């Protein structure tokens, strides 16, 4: 479980930095809507709260050694799309959160429910379910703001989202191992 929690610390660290990067890009662009600024702040605050919860659970000696890289990667993953447009930021967040929902659900919540942890660690399962629900909200909010999924997405946008999801999966696995 320590490895999974390490990946959560890394993921939430990266998520906070995504929104910090997006906010920096919007300041540079200077033409973002108040709605987009509010989106960034609302979701950054939720990610920061998640991060604090996981930091309390996992001893610092068990954090991934890659946290500095996650901070930089997260910042860039928020900055570059937000510099292009609000839509590209929303597509990026949707892609990241799609991965995160699957990560929490398939790799943590479901396996814990099948083990004795369901009896011995119900609070951990409840925490993961709470965080997952927030991530689903972020995904759905971003998808709504980006516009119609599927046919409404260009080939380039769909490719970008696939790259972001793949990169998120690779990052989570690296955080488990290093």
């Amino acid at each position: 479980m320590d490895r999974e929690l390490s990946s959560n610390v890394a993921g939430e660290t990266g998520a906070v930095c995504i929104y910090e990067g997006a906010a920096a890009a919007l300041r540079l662009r200077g033409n973002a809507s108040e709605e987009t600024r509010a989106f960034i702040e609302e979701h950054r605050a939720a990610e920061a709260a998640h991060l604090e919860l996981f930091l309390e659970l996992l001893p610092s000696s068990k954090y991934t050694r890659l946290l500095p890289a996650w901070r930089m990667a997260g910042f860039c993953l928020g900055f570059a799309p937000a510099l292009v447009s609000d839509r590209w930021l929303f597509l990026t967040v949707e892609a990241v959160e799609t991965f995160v929902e699957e990560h929490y659900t398939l790799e943590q919540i479901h396996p814990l429910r099948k083990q004795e942890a369901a009896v011995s660690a119900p609070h951990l399962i409840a925490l993961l379910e709470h965080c997952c629900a927030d991530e689903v909200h972020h995904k759905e909010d971003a998808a709504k703001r980006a516009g119609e999924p599927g046919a409404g997405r260009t080939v380039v946008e769909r490719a970008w989202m696939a790259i972001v999801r793949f990169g998120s999966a690779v990052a989570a696995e690296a955080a488990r191992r290093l």
Side-chain angles (χ1 to χ4, degrees), residues 11-123:
E12 299 298 348
T13 296
V16 169
C17 292
I18 285 171
Y19 292 108
E20 290 172 354
L26 294 189
R27 286 190 300 275
L28 189 61
R29 270 183 34 205
N31 65 347
S33 71
E34 268 312 304
E35 285 183 18
T36 300
R37 292 179 198 283
F39 169 89
I40 289 169
E41 186 48 40
E42 173 191 340
H43 296 299
R44 189 206 61 74
E47 302 295 3
H50 295 171
L51 177 57
E52 286 302 315
L53 292 169
F54 289 119
L55 290 174
E56 289 177 21
L57 281 176
L58 190 68
S60 60
S61 62
K62 305 230 178 192
Y63 299 170
T64 177
R65 295 185 307 260
L66 300 173
L67 281 179
W70 270 229
R71 287 183 188 99
M72 183 175 59
F75 187 91
C76 292
L77 190 57
F79 184 84
L83 194 58
V84 173
S85 71
D86 293 359
R87 177 177 168 83
W88 275 81
L89 169 64
F90 300 140
L91 293 170
T92 302
V93 170
E94 180 185 353
V96 168
E97 299 299 14
T98 297
F99 164 77
V100 174
E101 176 186 11
E102 293 168 0
H103 172 74
Y104 276 137
T105 303
L106 300 176
E107 296 178 33
Q108 295 179 3
I109 296 168
H110 288 168
L112 281 173
R113 282 187 184 149
K114 290 179 183 177
Q115 297 173 359
E116 288 182 23
V119 174
S120 64
H123 297 304

Side-chain angles (χ1 to χ4, degrees), residues 87 146 148-154 157-158:
R87 177 177 168 83
E148 192 64 35
R153 309 276 165 81
T154 69
E157 289 170 339
R158 288 193 307 268

